Amino acid sequence: MQEKIKPSLDFFEPHQRLNIKKHFDVEKVSKIFVHGIDQLGGLMFSSPFFRELRRAFPNAHIVNMVGSLTYPIMQNCPYVDEVWLFNKSESWATMKKIKAEGFDLAFLATGNLRSALMVYLAGVPNRVGYDNDGTGPLLTVQMHQEFHSRYRPENMFDYLRAIGITPQGVFDREVWVSDEDKTYAKSWFESNTAGQKIFAFNPFSTDPKRRWTDSGWKETLTQIIARGIKPVMLVGKNEVEQGKQLLDAWGLPDIDVQSHSVTQTAAILSYVDFVVGPDSGFIHMTLAVSKPHVIGLFNVVPPISCFPVHDSRHIAIIEDTLDCCPCYLYKAKDVCPNELKCMTSLKAEKVLAAIDSLA
């Protein structure tokens, strides 16, 4: 006889629905599959989920499958037993691998049809997820939620709430690095500082609408140097040349542009004093490091949806006096009809004031 699932009472939010098509005994779950998120920011939002998943299932064998971007971080995650590297071209082979493992329960954090179809065809009996992308018919515990301003880690916690588990510590994001990464970061710090505070920044975002102005960056960096703080641009390998071009255009070619692996960067950030950047994976990874002061520049979504606004160590800046802000044009292909007034009206003085208040 199947045990009836009783959802946690704090699951329900406006415009949120839950459809439990099949009940199961949570106490009998021994093997769990999680198709995780291959976006840096998304992984940071989901990191508390893995902690609470392990707390809820201390003896279960937990497998997480992710893409190449977040794979190095997940390899260091203490809450999972295995990490699989996912390749779309190997979906059929992956489905057969999932089937061979005999999982009891699957969480589909990616929310896409391919992911849901794989675990369905693999015969995983209990499949929990949001009904994005037409995945609803393939789920046994089906969640639905309209776009909103809720803090995003809460959405990941709903995977647990939907099966009767009440998670804790929603604001406590984590990023996992190895001892080798920590040694690398310590060496980096010793060679990159001479008693100065360090200002790390990354001006890039996958959505061009979220990027700040050249004049804003130029003035901020000029004033940072005048304050005796050392600026360092930390970027991905594919952004190094573009970063150097930006600094040349700003008349600041002597600022270092550095690229490290994602886990090395996370470890390095524990030695940094200030981090500034637009809403991006870099900012959210820094917040998970929980060491430097973070100043996030927002325009598309309100900070309350993804920034720990309760934490006085960090400051989220958004020109929310504008009638159009926030605009929710969160897809990169969305076009701003107001010439990105939210970013052009954000001046360096506001960012510098935030830094001074945290110094």
Side-chain angles (χ1 to χ4, degrees):
M1 180 177 178
Q2 293 180 335
E3 190 73 18
K4 190 173 180 64
I5 300 171
K6 185 178 181 181
S8 174
L9 288 176
D10 60 356
F11 174 86
F12 300 99
E13 295 284 337
H15 309 296
Q16 189 171 10
R17 296 193 297 273
L18 175 64
N19 181 14
I20 300 175
K21 304 174 186 177
K22 176 187 174 186
H23 292 274
F24 64 98
D25 188 348
V26 175
E27 297 294 329
K28 294 183 179 178
V29 170
S30 62
K31 296 194 74 173
I32 300 172
F33 177 78
V34 183
H35 195 170
I37 299 172
D38 194 37
Q39 295 175 331
L40 191 55
L43 176 59
M44 298 303 104
F45 298 140
S46 66
S47 61
F49 163 81
F50 288 101
R51 180 187 64 244
E52 296 304 296
L53 178 64
R54 174 54 72 193
R55 186 178 67 83
F57 297 95
N59 300 315
H61 187 83
I62 301 174
V63 173
N64 180 226
M65 184 171 73
V66 291
S68 58
L69 179 60
T70 54
Y71 181 75
I73 296 177
M74 284 306 306
Q75 283 186 300
N76 299 311
C77 176
Y79 308 121
V80 302
D81 298 288
E82 292 183 63
V83 184
W84 295 356
L85 181 61
F86 177 58
N87 187 324
K88 287 183 179 180
S89 65
E90 300 173 355
S91 295
W92 184 253
T94 301
M95 183 277 294
K96 292 194 288 186
K97 184 177 181 180
I98 295 170
K99 185 174 184 177
E101 290 288 331
F103 292 102
D104 307 300
L105 174 61
F107 293 101
L108 305 175
T110 54
N112 62 49
L113 186 58
R114 181 190 299 267
S115 173
L117 190 59
M118 282 194 301
V119 296
Y120 174 82
L121 293 175
V124 180
N126 305 297
R127 305 175 297 276
V128 184
Y130 283 98
D131 57 2
N132 311 4
D133 249 359
T135 59
L138 303 174
L139 303 172
T140 60
V141 178
Q142 177 183 350
M143 299 183 291
H144 175 83
Q145 191 169 62
E146 303 295 340
F147 187 75
H148 53 78
S149 299
R150 188 186 188 207
Y151 190 51
R152 289 183 188 173
E154 293 277 11
N155 296 338
M156 287 299 303
F157 275 10
D158 282 347
Y159 286 85
L160 298 174
R161 291 173 177 140
I163 61 170
I165 296 165
T166 300
Q168 302 169 6
V170 65
F171 292 106
D172 302 327
R173 304 187 204 180
E174 300 180 30
V175 60
W176 308 291
V177 299
S178 67
D179 289 338
E180 289 78 10
D181 295 321
K182 294 175 183 177
T183 299
Y184 181 94
K186 183 179 180 181
S187 176
W188 176 91
F189 176 72
E190 291 170 351
S191 62
N192 277 270
T193 185
Q196 294 174 287
K197 290 184 175 181
I198 299 177
F199 172 95
F201 68 104
N202 183 321
F204 301 114
S205 170
T206 53
D207 184 349
K209 294 189 300 299
R210 304 187 188 196
R211 296 184 182 182
W212 198 23
T213 61
D214 288 349
S215 59
W217 278 116
K218 179 178 180 179
E219 178 63 18
T220 297
L221 292 168
T222 300
Q223 292 300 321
I224 284 295
I225 295 170
R227 285 164 167 76
I229 301 172
K230 179 177 180 177
V232 178
M233 185 188 290
L234 296 178
V235 296
K237 290 181 179 179
N238 62 330
E239 298 167 333
V240 172
E241 288 306 313
Q242 190 177 355
K244 290 179 179 179
Q245 292 170 10
L246 283 177
L247 290 170
D248 285 340
W250 299 341
L252 298 166
D254 295 332
I255 292 177
D256 283 346
V257 180
Q258 300 181 8
S259 178
H260 312 271
S261 75
V262 65
T263 52
Q264 289 168 347
T265 300
I268 284 170
L269 288 168
S270 67
Y271 288 97
V272 167
D273 297 282
F274 305 100
V275 170
V276 174
D279 178 16
S280 66
F282 176 73
I283 283 293
H284 298 300
M285 182 170 68
T286 308
L287 290 166
V289 171
S290 197
K291 291 288 185 180
H293 296 298
V294 179
I295 299 168
L297 312 179
F298 287 82
N299 65 341
V300 174
V301 297
I304 196 172
S305 70
C306 57
F307 194 92
V309 293
H310 71 291
D311 193 332
S312 60
R313 294 173 301 168
H314 313 304
I315 296 176
I317 298 177
I318 184 169
E319 292 295 311
D320 55 3
T321 58
L322 300 174
D323 293 339
C324 59
C325 190
C327 64
Y328 289 97
L329 297 175
Y330 60 94
K331 295 181 180 179
K333 65 181 180 181
D334 292 337
V335 178
C336 172
N338 296 320
E339 299 181 332
L340 293 174
K341 188 185 296 184
C342 51
M343 286 283 102
T344 58
S345 61
L346 175 56
K347 303 303 180 184
E349 288 78 7
K350 185 172 285 191
V351 176
L352 291 164
I355 294 169
D356 291 340
S357 72
L358 297 171

